[in-house]
């Protein structure tokens, strides 16, 4: 008879025999950056998360650095939008200016990741350039995403981020060939050291709602199911990941995380490439809402900490080397005390 309880009798014994240990170095903090000054704007759907102007972002990142987290990913909120997302690749765009400021203040102490997409920069809220379809009969005119035209824009965005000083560019549009197109352009322009984190398996998920409010990237019509992945499929996710590897991705990503732990595990088992998982806005907000509902319970003390660390550890246990999470700063504080 095995008596496995012998390995659980104390915290010291549990720590000694733990198979997976979540570390601060595994965490990446997402930030929303907007135009303006002295702005620290709370996001209603995501308690504890803010939109920052560039000056306030620098203050916030200094606190992040002191907490021990040295990696972040930036999402931009431009001052104005159009149908082509022109502000996304402006040399004086909100992300470009933020990256330059962060590099000036923190140098190589930070690993700066930038999201490369169009949804936050277009009036329609889709992740690419729209192509109008011919009307059929009495049906209204329909639209689709022009994959090849979108690639041309994604390349411009990634190159502008690299010029500003980004360490990693992360294309999230789920356009076919996006990693290859960006890799070729970066190399051609002298940015062969800039890494690519491919949003390799990004699912058309219902967990993105709070993010769309935060980034102002909600769609004016339709959905993203024609270019983001069907959540019923797993083999397709592995094909997407393999394609990104072949195209030159340095890091892979599965997004969201919690409902896709099986995808993370399969990807880690099959591919020997650094693997990221995005613990997305809806997952974060669900924990916040649950913990708020239990605030008066006798068992509520420390429940948010315990639940958040359980989730993050589960993501790492599934195989993620890198975890992008809105809990990064808080989790770093908790982990220092354990």
């Amino acid at each position: 008879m095995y008596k496995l309880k012998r390995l659980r009798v104390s915290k010291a014994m549990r720590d000694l025999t733990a198979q997976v240990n979540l570390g601060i170095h595994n965490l990446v903090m997402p930030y929303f950056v907007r135009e303006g000054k002295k702005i620290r704007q709370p996001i209603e759907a995501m308690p504890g998360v803010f939109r920052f102007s560039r000056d306030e972002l620098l203050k916030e990142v200094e606190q992040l650095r002191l907490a021990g987290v040295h990696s972040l990913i930036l999402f931009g909120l431009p001052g104005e939008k159009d149908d082509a997302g022109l502000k996304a690749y402006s040399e004086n765009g909100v992300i470009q200016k933020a990256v330059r400021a962060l590099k000036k203040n923190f140098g190589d102490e930070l690993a700066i990741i930038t999201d490369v997409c169009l949804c936050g920069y277009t009036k329609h809220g889709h992740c690419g350039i729209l192509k109008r379809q011919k009307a059929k009969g009495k049906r209204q005119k329909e639209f689709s995403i022009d994959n090849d035209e979108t690639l041309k824009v994604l390349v411009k965005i990634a190159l502008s981020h690299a010029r500003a000083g980004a360490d990693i560019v992360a294309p999230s549009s789920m356009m076919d060939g996006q990693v290859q197109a960006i890799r070729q352009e970066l190399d051609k322009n002298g940015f062969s050291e800039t890494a690519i984190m491919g949003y390799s398996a990004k699912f058309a998920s219902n967990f993105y709602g709070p993010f769309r409010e935060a980034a102002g990237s909600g769609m004016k019509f339709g959905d993203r199911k024609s270019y983001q992945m069907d959540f019923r499929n797993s083999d397709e996710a592995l094909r997407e990941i393999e394609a990104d590897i072949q195209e030159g991705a340095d890091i892979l990503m599965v997004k969201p995380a919690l409902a896709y732990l099986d995808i993370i595990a399969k990807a880690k088992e099959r591919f020997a490439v650094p693997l990221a998982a995005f613990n997305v806005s809806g997952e974060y907000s669900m924990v916040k809402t649950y913990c708020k509902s239990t605030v008066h319970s006798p068992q509520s003390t420390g429940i948010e900490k315990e639940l958040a660390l359980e989730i993050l550890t589960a993501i790492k246990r599934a195989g993620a080397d890198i975890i992008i999470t809105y809990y990064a700063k808080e989790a770093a504080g908790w982990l220092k005390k354990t």
Side-chain angles (χ1 to χ4, degrees), residues 19-228:
Q19 185 178 356
V20 172
N21 285 296
L22 179 70
I24 297 174
H25 65 281
N26 298 124
L27 305 176
V28 177
M29 184 72 190
Y31 285 116
F32 298 98
V33 192
R34 56 162 297 170
E35 301 283 6
K37 294 182 179 179
K38 298 182 179 180
I39 297 172
R40 182 186 174 96
Q41 183 180 34
I43 299 166
E44 185 176 351
M46 302 174 68
V49 179
F50 301 84
R51 302 180 189 91
F52 293 102
S53 56
R54 189 167 67 257
D55 55 333
E56 291 296 322
L57 176 68
L58 294 176
K59 297 176 186 177
E60 171 65 20
V61 171
E62 173 62 19
Q63 295 304 309
L64 181 75
R65 187 184 66 82
L66 293 175
V69 180
H70 295 272
S71 302
L72 55 87
I73 183 168
L74 300 177
F75 298 92
L77 286 80
E80 57 186 71
K81 303 182 181 186
D82 54 50
D83 286 336
L86 297 177
K87 291 292 185 180
Y89 53 89
S90 168
E91 293 299 324
N92 290 310
V94 61
I95 290 298
Q96 290 80 355
K97 289 190 288 187
V99 171
R100 288 196 291 268
L102 288 167
K103 279 298 179 183
K104 180 180 179 180
N105 281 267
F106 301 103
D108 290 336
E109 290 184 49
L110 294 177
I112 300 175
I113 308 167
T114 56
D115 182 72
V116 176
C117 195
L118 283 168
C119 59
Y121 295 85
T122 55
K123 289 181 178 180
H124 49 72
H126 279 281
C127 300
I129 302 299
L130 293 182
K131 178 170 60 177
R132 180 168 294 180
Q133 306 284 55
K134 292 182 179 179
K136 297 179 181 179
K138 295 182 179 180
R139 292 177 61 188
Q140 292 182 343
K141 292 181 179 180
E142 296 180 351
F143 295 86
S144 64
I145 301 298
D146 191 321
N147 191 94
D148 293 346
E149 288 301 314
T150 300
L151 290 184
K152 295 176 184 178
V153 181
L154 296 179
V155 162
K156 292 179 181 179
I157 299 170
L159 188 57
S160 72
H161 290 179
R163 284 174 174 152
D167 300 289
I168 304 170
V169 293
S172 62
S173 290
M174 285 297 287
M175 296 294 115
D176 291 334
Q178 61 185 14
V179 171
Q180 178 175 295
I182 290 171
R183 182 75 274 157
Q184 290 176 347
E185 192 70 13
L186 291 176
D187 291 351
K188 186 172 71 174
N189 286 274
F191 294 101
S192 60
E193 299 297 313
T194 303
I196 297 177
M197 174 188 286
Y199 278 69
S200 307
K202 180 180 180 181
F203 289 84
S205 172
N206 296 293
F207 285 103
Y208 300 148
F211 174 93
R212 290 172 183 166
E213 176 189 324
S217 61
M219 298 153 293
K220 299 299 182 185
F221 56 86
D223 55 44
R224 295 175 179 149
K225 293 180 180 179
S226 64
Y227 47 100
Q228 293 180 358

